[in-house]
Amino acid sequence: MSDLKTNEDVKKSLNFIESIVEKDLAEGKNSGRVQTRFPPEPNGYLHIGHAKAICIDFGIAERYNGTCNLRFDDTNPVKEDIEYVDSIKEDIQWLGFHWNKIYYASDYFQQLWDFAVKLIQEEKAYIDEQSSETIAAQKGTPTQPGIESPYRNRPIEESLDLFKRMNDGEFEEGRMTLRAKIDMASPNMHFRDPIIYRIIKHPHHRTGTIWKVYPMYDFAHGQSDYFEGVTHSICTLEFEVHRPLYDYFIDLLKENDNYRPRQIEFNRLNLTYTVMSKRKLLQLVKEGLVNGWDDPRMPTICGYRRRGYTSESIRNFIDKIGYTKYDGIIDVALLEHAVREDLNICAPRVSAVLNPVKLIISNYPEGQVEMMEAVNNPEDPSAGTHRIEFTRELYIERDDFMENAPKKFFRMTPGQEVRLKSSYIVKCTGCKKDENGNVIEVYAEYDPLTKSGMPESNRKIKGTLHWVSVEHSLPAEVRLYDRLFTVENPSEEKDRDFHELLNPDSLTVLTNCRVEKELANAKPYDHFQFQRLGYFNLDPDSKEGKLIFNRTVSLKDTWTKVKDKS
Ligand code: ATP
Ligand code: MG
C-alpha cells in the first residue's frame, strides 16, 4: 500500500475535530481565524497522553494556517514548579512543534480578580464561610437538588469586603471560598454554585506572594482562552460536562463582538501496562520506584526519548490511533510497532553480544585480522557499509550454542554448519566445560571459500549468527526494559495497592556485554539495531570507556501477532 494520499483520501480522513474547524471556517466564524493552545499545568513532566493533545492542538493550527500558543495553567502554586515549565518546553520542541507565544494563566490573575469582583457586584457570586466538606455534602445528587448555603444571599458589600480580606491574607486556608451563585438544583452538578476562588498561602513560582487567593480551573481556563483569542479550545472528554459552565462564564465575560472560543473534547490516550496520571507518575518518582521522570520505563516524553523512541514514531503512533469521542485503552504493542517501523529505516545495524561465550575458530591463523564489510542498513543502500574485525577468537551468544540440540536448532551445535554474519560459514566441532558443566569455550572450523561475496558463500545454510572479535570488541552495559506493571490497566485495579501491581522484573542490567568497536564513536541517544536482538540507543549515563545501551524495543513484532488474532 502506498503512503501517498490523494486529495480525496485526505478529505475522507478528516477527524471530527478537523471537520468542526472546517465547518466553522466555512461559516465565517471568528473572521476565519484559527487559534488553539496547549494548556499544561506545570505540575509534572509531560506523558505520551499529552503528546496526543499536543499533536491535535499544534496540528490544527498548522493545517488551517492558524497559531497555537503554549499556556501554562499555573493556578495551583502548591504543586507547580519552574522545573516542570522547562521540561514541558523541551518536550514540545523535541516532538517537533513550535508555539507562537508563551502565556501563563497567572498573567491573568488581575483580570480574573476583576471579573470575580464584577460577579459579586452583580450578585452572581458570594463568599461562603462553610468548609469544603460541608459544601460537598450539600451538593445533592444528579437526581436530587442540593442545599443552598446560608451565606448565599449575604449582602454584596460583605462579600466584597471578605474577598478583599481573603486576598490580604487575613484568613487561613480553607476558612472561606468564593462561589458562583448559579443554580443548586441544576441537573449539571457543575452549576451548583461551584467554588471559583480559594485561599492558598504557598508562594507562586511566578507571582510570589502577591496573591493569596487563586482561581479554580473552571474559573480560569475558559476566561484565559477568551483573553488570548483562542477559537478552538481542544481538551479531553472528562471536560465535556464542564463545557456548559465554560460557556456560562464566557457569556458573562464576552463583549458584544462576534468572537467566542469553542471547547471541543476528544478521547484521552490510555496505554496498557502503564499509568497516565501525573499524580501517579510523581509517586513513582518520589518513592524511588523508578529512576526519575526520564526513566526509560516511564510513559513520559523524556522517558521515551531516553529509551530510544524517535519523535517521528510517537507522532506516527498518535496519527494511527486517531481522535474519537469514546474512551478506551490502546495496546502498547501498537506504539512498539511504530518505533520499530521508524528505526528499521533509520538505525544502522551493528553487532553486539549480550551474553557472550567464546568461539574459537581452530583452523583460523592466530594473530590474523580480516576486515569484513558489514552493511549498515539493508533498507537504505545509501547508508553504506562499515568494517568489522574478524579474528580466530570471537564471542557469540551463549544461547546460540547447544551441545545436544533438538532437530530444529539451526544454530551452533556439534557437526552443524552455520554462517557467521558478513563473514564465513563455520562448522561446530565441540566445546569445553568447567567443573560444573558450564560451557566456557565453543570450537568450530571455518571454510575459507565461503567468505561473504565468494561463490561458495551461496551454500544453503539455515542459521546466521552475529559475533564480535574478542580482541577488538568493547565491553558494554546493556539495560533491558519490560512493562512497568503486570496488569493491563493498573488504574482499574482499585482494590489492589499500586505497589503490588509493579513488575519486579521491569529492569534487567547486563554488565558483561561486548559490542563492536564501531560503537566507540556513538553519541548519547544515537540509535542502532543490534543484529538479531533489537533496537538500542546509547544512554546518556555512558562515560569515556563505559558504554551503556538501552534496549528500545526487541525485534520481534508482537503487534503482528495481536493483529493476526483479531
Ligand atoms: P493528568 O491527568 O495526567 O495529571 P492533566 O489533564 O492534569 O493530566 P494537564 O497538564 O492539565 O494535565 O493537561 C494538558 C492538556 O493535555 C489538557 O488539554 C489535557 O486534556 C491533555 N491531556 C492530559 N492527559 C491526556 C491524555 N492521557 N490523553 C490526551 N490528552 C491528555
Ligand atoms: Mg489538568
Side-chain angles (χ1 to χ4, degrees):
M1 240 189 8
S2 157
D3 271 332
L4 291 175
K5 287 181 178 168
T6 63
N7 277 347
E8 268 312 292
D9 289 336
V10 170
K11 243 184 221 158
K12 262 185 256 153
S13 66
L14 283 189
N15 65 42
F16 81 94
I17 302 170
E18 291 160 342
S19 300
I20 290 174
V21 173
E22 293 206 355
K23 188 157 177 288
D24 284 351
L25 285 173
E27 290 172 4
K29 284 197 187 152
N30 304 310
S31 324
R33 211 166 50 77
V34 172
Q35 184 176 324
T36 59
R37 85 287 168 268
F38 173 62
E41 183 179 354
N43 62 349
Y45 282 62
L46 296 182
H47 51 60
I48 191 155
H50 292 112
K52 181 172 177 179
I54 289 170
C55 287
I56 192 74
D57 291 332
F58 287 89
I60 286 281
E62 273 173 23
R63 183 163 190 156
Y64 298 103
N65 283 322
T67 50
C68 179
N69 297 313
L70 171 59
R71 182 203 314 140
F72 290 102
D73 231 335
D74 55 347
T75 54
N76 183 359
V78 179
K79 294 186 176 165
E80 296 159 6
D81 198 86
I82 188 77
E83 171 194 350
Y84 301 133
V85 169
D86 293 339
S87 74
I88 288 169
K89 290 187 204 165
E90 182 183 357
D91 289 349
I92 296 172
Q93 285 172 321
W94 180 74
L95 281 172
F97 295 103
H98 310 282
W99 51 83
N100 181 40
K101 288 186 177 136
I102 298 185
Y103 293 119
Y104 294 83
S106 53
D107 293 338
Y108 314 124
F109 282 168
Q110 185 62 49
Q111 276 161 286
L112 292 168
W113 166 272
D114 293 343
F115 182 45
V117 167
K118 180 171 163 254
L119 294 189
I120 299 173
Q121 285 164 340
E122 292 173 357
E123 288 188 271
K124 292 193 176 83
Y126 61 96
I127 298 290
D128 196 335
E129 291 178 48
Q130 302 182 104
S131 68
S132 54
E133 292 77 21
T134 308
I135 292 173
Q138 291 172 346
K139 271 260 150 122
T141 66
T143 50
Q144 268 181 327
I147 299 164
E148 294 191 353
S149 162
Y151 299 98
R152 196 171 198 262
N153 296 310
R154 77 188 321 161
I156 293 171
E157 288 313 316
E158 239 179 69
S159 282
L160 283 175
D161 175 59
L162 288 171
F163 192 38
K164 189 172 171 308
R165 285 162 58 197
M166 275 165 72
N167 197 39
D168 288 342
E170 223 176 278
F171 309 114
E172 289 315 301
E173 290 185 7
R175 176 65 187 79
M176 50 187 74
T177 57
L178 182 67
R179 293 177 73 183
K181 186 171 172 180
I182 311 180
D183 179 3
M184 287 304 289
S186 171
N188 183 329
M189 300 295 283
H190 297 282
F191 271 65
R192 297 189 181 179
D193 290 11
I195 295 174
I196 56 176
Y197 264 94
R198 59 192 158 160
I199 303 171
I200 298 177
K201 298 274 177 91
H202 196 280
H204 187 280
H205 67 100
R206 292 188 74 237
T207 57
T209 53
I210 300 175
W211 299 94
K212 288 171 192 79
V213 292
Y214 288 87
M216 303 297 289
Y217 172 87
D218 282 321
F219 197 71
H221 199 87
Q223 288 95 310
S224 303
D225 284 345
Y226 181 80
F227 296 142
E228 289 167 8
V230 169
T231 56
H232 297 86
S233 180
I234 306 164
C235 61
T236 35
L237 279 177
E238 68 269 25
F239 294 105
E240 197 164 21
V241 287
H242 294 247
R243 194 191 330 138
L245 188 56
Y246 177 101
D247 287 331
Y248 170 86
F249 287 129
I250 297 285
D251 283 334
L252 292 176
L253 187 63
K254 192 170 149 27
E255 281 160 26
N256 221 357
D257 57 14
N258 283 327
Y259 157 68
R260 76 171 299 136
R262 168 177 190 174
Q263 180 179 301
I264 304 165
E265 311 85 12
F266 66 87
N267 61 331
R268 61 188 290 125
L269 169 60
N270 298 302
L271 265 190
T272 53
Y273 300 105
T274 192
V275 291
M276 206 74 87
S277 115
K278 279 188 271 188
R279 190 176 54 79
K280 292 206 181 114
L281 296 176
L282 179 66
Q283 191 186 350
L284 289 169
V285 172
K286 280 218 163 133
E287 293 183 16
L289 301 168
V290 294
N291 301 313
W293 286 96
D294 70 345
D295 185 302
R297 292 166 292 179
M298 291 280 272
T300 49
I301 307 282
C302 55
Y304 284 116
R305 178 164 65 233
R306 182 152 182 191
R307 171 94 171 240
Y309 276 69
T310 56
S311 49
E312 288 79 2
S313 64
I314 292 178
R315 291 203 311 266
N316 291 343
F317 162 72
I318 301 284
D319 203 44
K320 251 182 223 151
I321 59 174
Y323 296 83
T324 73
K325 279 279 187 186
Y326 308 98
D327 270 325
I329 184 162
I330 301 285
D331 193 326
V332 68
L334 188 52
L335 175 62
E336 291 171 352
H337 178 71
V339 74
R340 254 186 222 110
E341 252 183 0
D342 191 41
L343 292 177
N344 182 39
I345 294 165
C346 68
R349 275 56 171 170
V350 293
S351 294
V353 177
L354 301 194
N355 186 12
V357 68
K358 235 183 217 182
L359 169 69
I360 296 173
I361 316 288
S362 41
N363 60 341
Y364 193 84
E366 247 170 275
Q368 181 169 313
V369 182
E370 253 180 291
M371 299 306 289
M372 301 297 185
E373 289 289 325
V375 172
N376 283 336
N377 190 342
E379 303 288 323
D380 176 10
S382 74
T385 59
H386 70 274
R387 303 176 96 198
I388 176 170
E389 297 84 358
F390 185 88
T391 50
R392 176 185 160 91
E393 296 199 355
L394 305 174
Y395 285 119
I396 59 168
E397 297 288 349
R398 193 163 277 281
D399 281 356
D400 280 339
F401 173 77
M402 214 184 223
E403 195 177 15
N404 300 303
K407 248 194 167 157
K408 294 218 159 151
F409 187 78
F410 298 121
R411 294 178 267 171
M412 192 74 76
T413 188
Q416 184 162 292
E417 283 195 322
V418 290
R419 178 186 308 283
L420 294 180
K421 183 86 188 162
S422 314
S423 59
Y424 295 102
I425 292 172
V426 301
K427 186 185 221 165
C428 182
T429 53
C431 69
K432 180 167 141 192
K433 291 186 243 176
D434 66 12
E435 60 273 23
N436 300 317
N438 299 315
V439 175
I440 47 171
E441 274 174 6
V442 177
Y443 304 108
E445 285 176 359
Y446 86 120
D447 179 343
L449 299 177
T450 58
K451 188 168 167 179
S452 291
M454 288 180 172
E456 274 294 299
S457 73
N458 290 333
R459 203 146 89 207
K460 222 169 164 40
I461 300 288
K462 281 224 164 113
T464 300
L465 307 186
H466 62 277
W467 51 272
V468 294
S469 156
V470 168
E471 191 191 337
H472 298 90
S473 62
L474 306 168
E477 176 179 314
V478 173
R479 298 173 180 171
L480 305 178
Y481 303 102
D482 199 353
R483 42 185 65 140
L484 191 49
F485 290 91
T486 54
V487 293
E488 245 181 33
N489 194 352
S491 311
E492 288 228 311
E493 306 277 334
K494 304 275 185 242
D495 304 335
R496 291 175 66 191
D497 181 51
F498 184 63
H499 301 86
E500 263 180 51
L501 308 173
L502 283 168
N503 176 7
D505 302 317
S506 59
L507 170 64
T508 306
V509 180
L510 305 175
T511 50
N512 288 320
C513 312
R514 305 292 302 191
V515 299
E516 67 171 278
K517 209 160 125 197
E518 178 82 1
L519 288 170
N521 305 318
K523 289 187 290 303
Y525 302 101
D526 278 355
H527 307 283
F528 300 96
Q529 184 194 98
F530 288 0
Q531 313 247 31
R532 296 177 64 225
L533 298 175
Y535 294 100
F536 293 76
N537 78 341
L538 189 73
D539 191 89
D541 276 352
S542 300
K543 287 185 211 67
E544 181 86 46
K546 185 170 189 210
L547 294 169
I548 302 174
F549 293 91
N550 299 305
R551 183 172 67 191
T552 309
V553 68
S554 61
L555 277 187
K556 207 173 80 209
D557 192 343
T558 48
W559 173 241
T560 313
K561 265 201 256 156
V562 174
K563 268 199 299 198
D564 288 348
K565 265 193 269 165
S566 63

